[in-house]
Amino acid sequence: MTQSGLSYWSEYFDPKGPTRRPGYSTGWIAERLYGLLAEHGPVEYWDNAERPRNVSADVFVGHFWAFTAMCRANVFTRQIAVYVLSDPVRATTLLRDAAARYDVPFPVWDLPPEEFDHERTMGLADAVILVGNSATLDTFDERWRSKITLVNYAPRPTRWPAITTSNRRNEFVYAATTCGLRKGFLDVIETWRTIPAGTTKLHVIGQLDEPFRGRLAASRAAAVEVNGWIASTSTRYRDLLSSCRYAYIPTWVEGQMGTVLEAIAAGCVPITTRASGVDDHVLEHCVVVEPERPEQHRAAILEMLAWSEPQYRERQAAISDCMARFHTWSGFDDRVREVVWHDD
């Protein structure tokens, strides 16, 4: 029997009962990690903000924000960090620069706290679980890559109806928890401001605050419909995604973006970026664009709108097949087990 510890976010997953924020990928991952550790014995679970001291355990798995503090204050035989973001130093630098260039707020709430030490975290970790794709991995310094294992996850397996192509509108959906800098919303504004009403429509889902709301309004993007935040556990969310043929989610910085996976599970063919963290095999069948290139994005949108019915069905089927093979919880479980129980 093995004694394990897991540090994650109690507002998304709590083994003792319901949480304040159900339906988020953060919670799905934490719940899965907890279950895998529990296969080998008791698991002590701490919220990311908790700082226990003088705890001993055979295995510790921790979200990267609190990993170093936990390891310094306790004794763990094996220490495994979980990164759900591309290299955070690079990510922070990229977004600070973009915030200054575009005169928008830096998303401090969405990135590690100032005291986070990436170098120390990577040095302390015996192994690192990284959620993402090869582009995510490439952001990390090459000297760390030998200890990194890439993993994919999947949307909730029972949440999505069977994929259909009938009765879908020739429209797009953009879905994010918060429509902001990190999620590529500046590209949404710039790309869609010149797409005429009646050509298609973009259904925006997510919390939309200033200055992004004001900039969208000032752009007079006639083809954009703002729906606000919609719980991903709701029928309305599922129905809206499932009613569109396409998704447009040009995110800038991720580990692996859950809403892109949900859009694919709902049957949408997405325009997205390699930064989305979606598995490379799946991205081969998506339409991949580069951040901050709105002309490229508009060209991709117009090209997709011109697809014939067989073209759309073929692309949708290929993406669905790849998702079923490469974004599975069984695959996540197998890779995590290999990392945690490497000597078994």
Side-chain angles (χ1 to χ4, degrees), residues 46 50-56 69-70 72-76:
W46 304 286
E50 291 184 74
R51 295 293 182 269
R53 302 187 65 84
N54 302 318
V55 174
S56 296
M70 291 292 292
R72 284 173 169 169
N74 303 285
V75 179
F76 305 124

Side-chain angles (χ1 to χ4, degrees), residues 189-196 199 219-222 298:
I189 296 170
E190 186 62 25
T191 297
W192 285 81
R193 67 181 179 83
T194 58
I195 296 179
T199 304
S219 75
R220 301 185 182 277
R298 278 193 292 272

Side-chain angles (χ1 to χ4, degrees), residues 154-160 329:
R156 287 290 192 191
T158 59
R159 291 176 55 196
W160 299 102
W329 284 114

Side-chain angles (χ1 to χ4, degrees), residues 96-107:
R96 283 196 186 280
D97 175 69
R101 283 188 289 115
Y102 292 107
D103 191 27
V104 296
F106 172 71

Side-chain angles (χ1 to χ4, degrees), residues 172 246-250 269-273 286-289 297 300-301 304:
F172 293 77
Y246 311 110
Y248 171 72
I249 310 179
V269 177
I271 298 175
T272 192
T273 62
C286 300
V287 176
V288 178
V289 294
H297 299 196
I301 290 166
M304 294 171 77

Side-chain angles (χ1 to χ4, degrees), residues 6 16 19 25 49 66 100 133 154 157 162 173-174 183 195 210 237 240 291 309 315 328 337:
L6 175 62
K16 297 177 182 177
T19 63
S25 59
N133 60 17
V173 64
Y174 169 95
K183 302 297 182 176
I195 296 179
E210 296 295 351
Y237 181 84
L240 185 51
E309 183 70 17
R315 188 68 71 99
T328 66
R337 287 189 185 106

Side-chain angles (χ1 to χ4, degrees), residues 153-221:
Y153 66 91
R156 287 290 192 191
T158 59
R159 291 176 55 196
W160 299 102
I163 291 176
T164 62
T165 56
S166 60
N167 302 320
R168 284 182 182 267
R169 299 189 295 263
N170 208 29
E171 297 174 354
F172 293 77
V173 64
Y174 169 95
T177 303
T178 301
C179 305
L181 182 67
R182 188 163 78 85
K183 302 297 182 176
F185 200 73
L186 289 174
D187 278 346
V188 173
I189 296 170
E190 186 62 25
T191 297
W192 285 81
R193 67 181 179 83
T194 58
I195 296 179
T199 304
T200 183
K201 183 179 285 187
L202 177 68
H203 301 268
V204 172
I205 301 173
Q207 180 68 34
L208 182 57
D209 298 320
E210 296 295 351
F212 301 99
R213 177 179 290 277
R215 290 198 178 189
L216 177 62
S219 75
R220 301 185 182 277

Side-chain angles (χ1 to χ4, degrees), residues 101-298:
R101 283 188 289 115
Y102 292 107
D103 191 27
V104 296
F106 172 71
V108 63
W109 65 90
D110 216 11
L111 291 162
E114 288 187 6
E115 64 270 19
F116 170 73
D117 188 333
H118 178 52
E119 184 86 5
R120 181 67 171 156
T121 299
M122 293 299 295
L124 282 171
D126 297 308
V128 174
I129 295 168
L130 174 62
V131 183
N133 60 17
S134 64
T136 319
L137 178 62
D138 287 347
T139 65
F140 283 75
D141 194 294
E142 191 171 354
R143 65 201 162 102
W144 301 124
R145 294 182 195 172
S146 62
K147 65 169 67 179
I148 298 174
T149 296
L150 278 178
V151 301
N152 293 330
Y153 66 91
R156 287 290 192 191
T158 59
R159 291 176 55 196
W160 299 102
I163 291 176
T164 62
T165 56
S166 60
N167 302 320
R168 284 182 182 267
R169 299 189 295 263
N170 208 29
E171 297 174 354
F172 293 77
V173 64
Y174 169 95
T177 303
T178 301
C179 305
L181 182 67
R182 188 163 78 85
K183 302 297 182 176
F185 200 73
L186 289 174
D187 278 346
V188 173
I189 296 170
E190 186 62 25
T191 297
W192 285 81
R193 67 181 179 83
T194 58
I195 296 179
T199 304
T200 183
K201 183 179 285 187
L202 177 68
H203 301 268
V204 172
I205 301 173
Q207 180 68 34
L208 182 57
D209 298 320
E210 296 295 351
F212 301 99
R213 177 179 290 277
R215 290 198 178 189
L216 177 62
S219 75
R220 301 185 182 277
V224 176
E225 178 182 287
V226 176
N227 293 272
W229 183 84
I230 303 174
S232 64
T233 54
S234 68
T235 301
R236 183 187 174 202
Y237 181 84
R238 294 194 297 270
D239 287 349
L240 185 51
L241 266 62
S242 298
S243 70
C244 296
R245 289 195 167 204
Y246 311 110
Y248 171 72
I249 310 179
T251 189
W252 287 6
V253 175
E254 295 292 340
Q256 191 166 89
M257 192 172 183
T259 52
V260 177
L261 302 185
E262 288 178 325
I264 295 171
C268 301
V269 177
I271 298 175
T272 192
T273 62
R274 296 198 180 279
S276 67
V278 174
D279 185 270
D280 297 324
H281 299 87
V282 178
L283 280 179
E284 289 179 10
H285 303 289
C286 300
V287 176
V288 178
V289 294
E290 298 296 323
E292 299 184 84
R293 294 187 59 186
E295 297 87 356
Q296 180 195 50
H297 299 196
R298 278 193 292 272

